[in-house]
Amino acid sequence: MTDQPSSDRPGEPAPDLFTWEFATDPYPAYAWLREHAPVHRTRLPSGVEAWLVTRYADARQALADARLSKNPAHHDEPAHAKGKTGIPGERKADLMTHLLNIDPPDHTRLRRLVSKAFTPRRVAEFAPRVQQLTDDLIGAFAAKGSADLIHDFAFPLPIYAICDLLGVPREDQDDFRDWAGMMIRHGGGPRGGVARSVKKMRGYLAELIHRKRAALPAEPAPGEDLISGLIRASDHGEHLTENEAAAMAFILLFAGFETTVNLIGNGTFALLTHPEERARLQHSLAAGETGLLQTGVEELLRYDGPVELATWRFATEPLTLGGQEIAAGDPVLVVLAAADRDPARFPDPDVLDLGRADNQHLGYGHGIHYCLGAPLARLEGQAALATLFTRLPDLRLAVEPAELRWRGGLIMRGLRTLPVEFTPVGKAHE
C-alpha cells in the first residue's frame, strides 16, 4: 500500500505502511514519521482513514486526552467503518460494554468494580500456578531438543493461566485454546472464524457466570476465582450485570492472552538475537538475582512490545495534536511502537539494554485506560523468560531471523512461529 504524502513535506512521500516488509521491521518507517510527519493521516488496509501519532510526548498526551473517546459511536463514519474498528464480532455478540470501548463515567464505574476483583494481591497469589504451568509446558518439549516456542509455549501459557484465574474448569480449557487460536490468526483462518469464536466464547462465559452466580457462597473462599470475584464485586450497592461481567471476562481474556503471547515471543526473539544481553540476563539469573529480569521485561516491552498501536480513539471535538488539526469524529491511533523508540525520550532507543533506567515506556498505555492486566503480564513474562533461559541455557534459533514471519493485524505485533533448538534435557518437574 502506498501511503499518502506527508502534508507538511509534500515533495517527499511517506514510506509504505502495512506491507509484509513493514510488518517484519516497522521501526525505520516509524522513525521517518516521527521526524517528518509525527501526526500523520493514512488509509488503513481496512479502508478506514485515521491519524497515526508517533512521537512520545504527543502519544502520552493523546492517551490521556478526554477529548479522544474510546466509544466507537463517536466515529464520523459508522456505516463505512462498521466492524472495522474493533474486535471482530464483538458487536454482534453483545460484548461492547467493556473497558476498551467506554468512557467516564461508565468506564470509571466498571473499572472500579473490576479492580475490586482483579487485585495485585490476587495476581501475586497466582504466581505459583503460573510457575507450575511454565515448568509443565517446558517439560513437555525439553527432551526433544527442538520446539516452536509460539505454539508449544508462548501461546498455551497465558491461555491456561487466564482460564485458571477466571475459573474456567480444566475440562473446558482446550475449547478456549481453540477459540483463542482462531482469534489471533488475523485472517489466516476461515472467513468469519474470528467472529464465530468470539460468539462461542461469549455464550460460554455467559453460561459459566450464570452457574457461578447461582452457586456463589456467602463468603469468598481463599483463592476464589476471578469470575466469582467479578460477580461479588460491589460498590455502594452497585454490581456488574451478567452482561457486563461476561464482557469484562471476555476482554480480560482477549486483551490478556495475545499481549502475553507476543511479550514472550517477541522478548525471546530479541534475546536470541542479542547474545550479549541474553548472557547478561542468564548470568544474573544464575546468581539468584531478579533485578535485571524485572528491568529486562520492561525493556523488552519498550524495544519490541506486544501492542504496536493502542486501541481506537475517536475525536469528540476538533483538537490540535502535534501541530495537526484533528476533526471531530476522526479516528486516532497512537503508535506505541514508534513512541517507545523516540530518541527525544529514550537515549539510544534502538539499542536493547536490559538494565535501562528511567524506562517509562507506553507498552501498557497511559492514563485511565492503563492496562488493568499489567501485573499479570509482568508475572507471566518474567516467569516464562527466566525459566526458559535457565532450563534451556543454549537455546538458539532454528532458522535465520529473516525467515520468521510476523502476524498481520493492526493493533498487535507478534511472530507466527519461533522455531528453536537446544540440547535435550530430562523432563524435570513431572
Side-chain angles (χ1 to χ4, degrees):
M1 184 189 97
T2 302
D3 215 338
Q4 300 173 11
S6 162
S7 58
D8 56 350
R9 295 282 295 261
E12 187 173 350
D16 284 353
L17 305 178
F18 313 118
T19 63
W20 285 112
E21 294 78 13
F22 170 83
T24 299
D25 182 10
Y27 296 103
Y30 288 150
W32 191 97
L33 288 175
R34 271 196 315 267
E35 182 177 353
H36 300 300
V39 178
H40 177 65
R41 189 173 176 90
T42 189
R43 185 180 296 277
L44 304 173
S46 64
V48 175
E49 291 198 1
W51 294 95
L52 301 181
V53 181
T54 55
R55 287 182 181 168
Y56 182 90
D58 295 335
R60 191 175 166 94
Q61 175 192 332
L63 291 171
D65 195 323
R67 297 170 299 175
L68 291 174
S69 168
K70 299 291 291 170
N71 189 338
H74 289 293
H75 190 196
D76 65 344
E77 297 180 272
H80 174 63
K82 189 176 181 182
K84 295 181 178 180
T85 60
I87 300 166
E90 66 177 353
R91 191 181 303 272
K92 288 184 179 177
D94 198 19
L95 282 169
M96 296 296 288
T97 53
H98 58 67
L99 292 176
L100 295 184
N101 280 345
I102 57 175
D103 304 314
D106 291 336
H107 177 273
T108 310
R109 170 184 160 269
L110 279 183
R111 177 127 184 169
R112 189 167 57 231
L113 284 167
V114 173
S115 297
K116 288 176 177 289
F118 197 36
T119 60
R121 178 179 175 179
R122 190 185 291 268
V123 172
E125 290 171 347
F126 196 56
R129 177 59 181 153
V130 170
Q131 187 61 55
Q132 181 191 348
L133 284 167
T134 303
D135 287 332
D136 289 350
L137 287 167
I138 294 175
F141 61 74
K144 298 176 184 176
S146 65
D148 171 7
L149 284 183
I150 302 299
H151 182 268
D152 297 329
F153 184 58
F155 176 72
L157 174 59
I159 277 292
Y160 291 139
I162 198 77
C163 281
D164 277 355
L165 188 65
L166 286 169
V168 175
R170 299 278 167 89
E171 62 268 22
D172 296 339
Q173 292 187 5
D174 284 338
D175 286 339
F176 264 78
R177 181 174 174 162
D178 291 345
W179 297 332
M182 181 62 68
M183 286 159 63
I184 70 168
R185 287 183 193 170
H186 295 313
R191 185 174 178 84
V194 176
R196 282 196 297 275
S197 293
V198 168
K199 187 175 181 180
K200 288 176 182 176
M201 195 176 282
R202 165 71 173 86
Y204 176 87
L205 287 170
E207 182 186 336
L208 183 63
I209 288 165
H210 189 71
R211 290 205 313 264
K212 285 183 180 290
R213 190 187 293 275
L216 197 68
E219 295 297 325
E224 181 179 72
D225 64 73
L226 182 54
I227 284 181
S228 296
L230 289 173
I231 296 166
R232 197 183 293 282
S234 67
D235 188 63
H236 298 98
E238 281 192 291
H239 289 75
L240 292 169
T241 65
E242 286 198 3
N243 194 43
E244 288 171 340
M248 284 310 312
F250 168 77
I251 203 62
L252 287 171
L253 189 140
F254 186 87
F257 89 86
E258 188 174 2
T259 51
T260 309
V261 174
N262 295 348
L263 168 58
I264 297 169
N266 298 6
T268 302
F269 175 65
L271 289 169
L272 292 177
T273 51
H274 293 79
E276 290 184 3
E277 289 301 288
R278 173 252 190 89
R280 184 182 174 194
L281 177 62
Q282 287 178 305
H283 181 78
S284 172
L285 292 170
E289 300 165 358
T290 59
L292 191 66
L293 175 66
Q294 292 169 0
T295 59
V297 166
E298 299 309 306
E299 174 68 348
L300 292 167
L301 282 159
R302 182 202 69 81
Y303 180 78
D304 196 11
V307 183
E308 190 166 341
L309 283 76
T311 49
W312 294 81
R313 283 164 169 77
F314 306 94
T316 58
E317 61 184 76
L319 59 102
T320 303
L321 185 61
Q324 284 285 359
E325 299 297 323
I326 311 290
D330 278 1
V332 174
L333 290 165
V334 177
V335 187
L336 305 178
D340 280 343
R341 295 253 192 139
D342 188 342
R345 178 59 185 83
F346 301 99
D348 299 318
D350 296 323
V351 172
L352 181 70
D353 175 8
L354 298 185
R356 186 182 292 270
D358 185 24
N359 191 357
Q360 294 183 34
H361 63 78
L362 299 176
Y364 289 127
H366 172 64
I368 64 168
H369 290 284
Y370 182 84
C371 178
L372 193 67
L376 179 61
R378 286 189 170 104
L379 170 66
E380 292 174 343
Q382 289 175 18
L385 294 171
T387 311
L388 199 61
F389 284 97
T390 299
R391 289 186 60 185
L392 308 175
D394 65 345
L395 190 72
R396 58 195 177 273
L397 284 172
V399 298
E400 290 298 316
E403 294 179 43
L404 295 173
R405 291 292 172 263
W406 296 80
R407 283 197 301 274
L410 189 65
I411 302 297
M412 301 289 186
R413 173 165 172 78
L415 288 161
R416 290 176 179 269
T417 60
L418 185 56
V420 294
E421 299 171 333
F422 47 87
T423 301
V425 295
K427 293 190 178 184
H429 302 279
E430 291 193 329

